Amino acid sequence: MNTIEKNRNFDQPIIWNGDLNDDCTARWSGLMLRAEWMDEDYWWWCVYDMLDNENQVDSSNEYNERFIGGEKAREKAEEVAKNYLKNELINKLKSSEENTDFDKLISDLKLIGISPTQTILTLIKDFGFEHRDAKNKVFDSPVWEGLREQSEILTQAFFDAGAEVADQVEYYEDGHVSSITFDLTKDEAKEEKPTFWKKIKSKFK
C-alpha cells in the first residue's frame, strides 16, 4: 500500500457540513474544502491540504471571475480538490522506481472522481500512451465495466442519425453505418433538409 492510499483514503465521498447557504466545510482525503457567502451573490472558496501543514492549495482569491452562489463555489472547490489529488497521485507514481500498476491507477482515479476521458488523457500526457492504447486500457478496466458498450452504442446512434442527412455514407458488412461525410462547401441556406446537429438534437431529446 503506497503513501497516498494510506494517508488520503480518497474512496470516501465529499460531504459538506454546516450551513450550505452561508458557511460550510468538507473534509475529504486529508483536504479541507471551505465555501462561504461574502456579499450579494458572491461566494469565497478555498482548499487546504491538512496533511501538508494546512497548505492552501487554491482559492477564489486567485481568480478574476466571481463565483456566484454556494453551489458554484462548492463545485469549484471539489474540482480543484480532485485535480490536486490526481496530480499528487500521478507525481508519486512517476517518481516511483516500481512498475506502474495502471489498472490500480485507473481505479484510484475513478475513486477520486476523475472521468474516463480525463483518465485517458492522463495516460497519454503523463505516461506516454498512444490514444488507442489509452482508450482500450480504460475501457477494459474492471472499474469501468460496460463503458465500451455504452460508447459504441452512442457512437452508432450518432452515425445512424447523421446518415439521414449526410452527403456520403459508408456501411459495414452487417449494415451498420461506418462513416458519414458532409460537404461543407455547399450553401446550407439552400438546403431544405435539416442540418446534422438539428437532426442529432431531435434524436436525443
Side-chain angles (χ1 to χ4, degrees):
M1 194 176 285
N2 61 41
T3 303
I4 294 176
E5 287 181 295
K6 213 159 34 176
N7 290 341
R8 292 301 186 187
N9 296 321
F10 43 67
D11 58 333
Q12 299 300 313
I14 300 176
I15 300 176
W16 290 88
N17 297 299
D19 187 347
L20 298 183
N21 295 315
D22 183 17
D23 189 356
C24 48
T25 302
R27 291 182 177 272
W28 176 62
S29 305
L31 304 178
M32 182 172 73
L33 293 63
R34 283 199 59 198
E36 183 178 356
W37 174 71
M38 302 303 289
D39 62 325
E40 297 181 351
D41 292 327
Y42 166 66
W43 278 66
W44 168 86
W45 60 264
C46 189
V47 178
Y48 302 92
D49 188 343
M50 306 305 287
L51 301 182
D52 185 19
N53 298 316
E54 301 185 16
N55 175 56
Q56 179 177 298
V57 173
D58 200 0
S59 80
S60 57
N61 296 335
E62 306 301 321
Y63 297 77
N64 291 326
E65 64 179 299
R66 293 169 64 90
F67 294 87
I68 306 301
E71 184 176 356
K72 291 293 183 182
R74 291 189 294 274
E75 286 178 356
K76 186 61 179 181
E78 290 183 13
E79 175 190 328
V80 166
K82 291 174 182 178
N83 283 328
Y84 178 75
L85 292 187
K86 180 194 74 172
N87 292 332
E88 182 183 71
L89 177 59
I90 290 169
N91 291 335
K92 180 70 175 180
L93 292 176
K94 290 173 72 173
S95 64
S96 174
E97 296 181 356
E98 299 179 3
N99 292 331
T100 303
D101 184 346
F102 289 107
D103 288 330
K104 183 66 166 62
L105 171 62
I106 293 169
S107 176
D108 287 345
L109 290 178
K110 184 181 182 183
L111 286 175
I112 293 171
I114 303 302
S115 70
T117 300
Q118 288 178 301
T119 302
I120 291 171
L121 293 176
T122 294
L123 294 180
I124 295 171
K125 177 182 176 182
D126 295 287
F127 296 98
F129 275 65
E130 295 294 332
H131 181 271
R132 180 185 295 273
D133 294 335
K135 181 179 178 180
N136 286 335
K137 192 68 177 175
V138 173
F139 279 21
D140 292 337
S141 171
V143 299
W144 288 112
E145 183 179 0
L147 182 63
R148 183 185 297 278
E149 290 75 13
Q150 293 174 22
S151 176
E152 291 174 352
I153 291 172
L154 182 59
T155 298
Q156 193 62 57
F158 268 94
F159 274 173
D160 292 343
E164 299 180 23
V165 293
D167 296 294
Q168 182 178 342
V169 182
E170 295 183 2
Y171 297 88
Y172 292 112
E173 292 183 358
D174 62 4
H176 287 94
V177 178
S178 63
S179 70
I180 53 178
T181 304
F182 294 89
D183 184 357
L184 300 181
T185 64
K186 293 193 309 186
D187 185 358
E188 295 239 318
K190 297 179 180 179
E191 293 292 321
E192 295 182 359
K193 59 185 178 181
T195 64
F196 172 64
W197 290 113
K198 286 182 179 179
K199 191 70 175 178
I200 286 291
K201 186 177 179 180
S202 67
K203 290 286 184 179
F204 290 94
K205 282 183 178 179

